Amino acid sequence: MSQPQAALSVDFEFFTHLPAYRGARGVTDRPAVGLGGVTSLLDAFADADASGTFFTVGEMADDHPRVVERIAVEGHEVASHTHTHQHLSELDSSERRDELARSKERLTAVAGEPVTGFRAPSFDLGPDHFRTLADLGYEYDSSVVPCRSIPGWYGGEFDAERPTPASAVDPTAPDDFVEVPTAVMERLRLPLTGTWIRFFGVTYTILGMRLLARRGIAPVLYVHPWELVDLPAVEGVPKRVYVRTGAYMRRAVRRILAEPFEFVTVGELAETVDGAGPASAGRSDRS
Ligand SMILES: [Zn+2]
């Protein structure tokens, strides 16, 4: 039997793009905090003969084009994580469109392949999210987390667990637009990765992956390059940002990639949704 599929995605931003850093009192003068994490991730993917999706802040195409190029050349998918990593719900509609359009255009130019996927910073969706993405030529979104409500943070809005026509999560979404939700732990309903891998440990993540696979769901995980490096101490950045960053996460990524899954891109998972529209929408989700 072939191995179940999973996707290890990367939200490629720097430490200084984090809302938690932007809102802090202190500053760092270290440039590009997290760039080394991209190298660690690319090496880990190559050693595991795996591919992934890098949801990349569009500014990287201007400031670090060779890194974006390398991601594409090594067989990974380059997708958008906005141009400057602002929360979409805090922007007006023309600013929002600009974040989505500019990043797509710049990343496509540098990666040499059309960018069709998108993930919102902090999973924060603006109004008309799916329609705007479709208008601009995107084909799928991966900003839905079907987790419990985490007060002051996110969650509690969605329950879709597998790739689905986006109209199943938002009736105003165009018929052929696809949503690929990120993975949460069965019953506990907290994300398998992000901060949670560092809080609960990588065995929590791996258990969650196996439970999803048992139900025929391909786990979609996400990590950040800045989680794989040692971070500068900055006054006012919450402690949770620092928990187990650096060596722990470099090992964790390798442990995940050693699991008996076929690691594919999020775009490949999006393509498993066929005949998008009302007929297939009812088939999705909730076990
Ligand atoms: Zn982000």
Side-chain angles (χ1 to χ4, degrees):
M1 218 183 103
S2 62
Q3 292 182 329
Q5 292 186 322
L8 177 60
S9 62
V10 177
D11 290 359
F12 179 12
E13 71 216 17
F14 291 142
F15 174 66
T16 46
H17 283 112
L18 287 180
Y21 171 82
R22 286 172 167 161
R25 289 179 295 280
V27 289
T28 177
D29 52 13
R30 249 174 69 188
V33 178
L35 198 56
V38 178
T39 308
S40 302
L41 283 159
L42 288 171
D43 291 348
F45 275 118
D47 291 346
D49 197 18
S51 39
T53 297
F54 286 66
F55 293 97
T56 303
V57 167
E59 286 178 338
M60 301 296 182
D62 298 326
D63 300 343
H64 302 279
R66 289 174 60 187
V67 179
V68 175
E69 221 176 78
R70 181 179 165 197
I71 292 168
V73 164
E74 296 193 7
H76 305 292
E77 177 186 13
V78 175
S80 167
H81 193 40
T82 72
H83 198 70
T84 64
H85 206 261
Q86 313 284 327
H87 282 161
L88 292 176
S89 68
E90 291 164 14
L91 304 178
D92 68 32
S93 71
S94 79
E95 291 169 327
R96 248 191 335 267
R97 271 187 93 85
D98 189 56
E99 284 284 329
L100 307 183
R102 197 143 55 108
S103 57
K104 185 179 198 300
E105 187 247 314
R106 296 298 304 130
L107 291 166
T108 296
V110 173
E113 288 165 18
V115 163
T116 61
F118 179 80
R119 178 171 293 146
S122 308
F123 305 108
D124 168 66
L125 308 188
D128 279 333
H129 183 68
F130 300 104
R131 191 168 294 283
T132 310
L133 285 171
D135 273 0
L136 294 171
Y138 287 94
E139 291 171 10
Y140 79 89
D141 173 83
S142 183
S143 312
V144 158
V145 196
C147 73
R148 66 166 70 194
S149 170
I150 306 163
W153 210 350
Y154 53 66
E157 293 172 84
F158 301 107
D159 54 18
E161 285 184 284
R162 53 180 95 226
T164 177
S167 54
V169 294
D170 175 354
T172 70
D175 278 346
D176 56 353
F177 197 78
V178 170
E179 173 60 38
V180 184
T182 58
V184 303
M185 178 61 98
E186 197 172 291
R187 283 191 282 273
L188 181 64
R189 303 197 76 78
L190 286 173
L192 289 188
T193 41
T195 307
W196 310 95
I197 185 174
R198 296 188 284 109
F199 279 2
F200 298 148
V202 66
T203 49
Y204 157 84
T205 304
I206 289 170
L207 171 65
M209 292 173 72
R210 291 175 181 169
L211 291 171
L212 286 173
R214 206 179 286 176
R215 290 162 57 213
I217 297 172
V220 176
L221 311 174
Y222 60 94
V223 295
H224 306 89
W226 56 262
E227 292 181 292
L228 276 68
V229 303
D230 296 316
L231 299 175
V234 173
E235 199 192 345
V237 173
K239 293 263 187 297
R240 66 172 161 80
V241 172
Y242 292 91
V243 174
R244 284 173 163 168
T245 47
Y248 181 85
M249 280 298 291
R250 291 196 294 275
R251 284 195 302 270
V253 162
R254 286 182 176 268
R255 281 205 42 201
I256 289 168
L257 289 172
E259 282 294 296
F261 284 83
E262 181 200 358
F263 286 90
V264 300
T265 65
V266 181
E268 286 174 88
L269 294 179
E271 280 167 19
T272 63
V273 177
D274 50 21
S280 58
R283 178 195 68 192
S284 58
D285 311 326
R286 303 245 61 168
S287 57

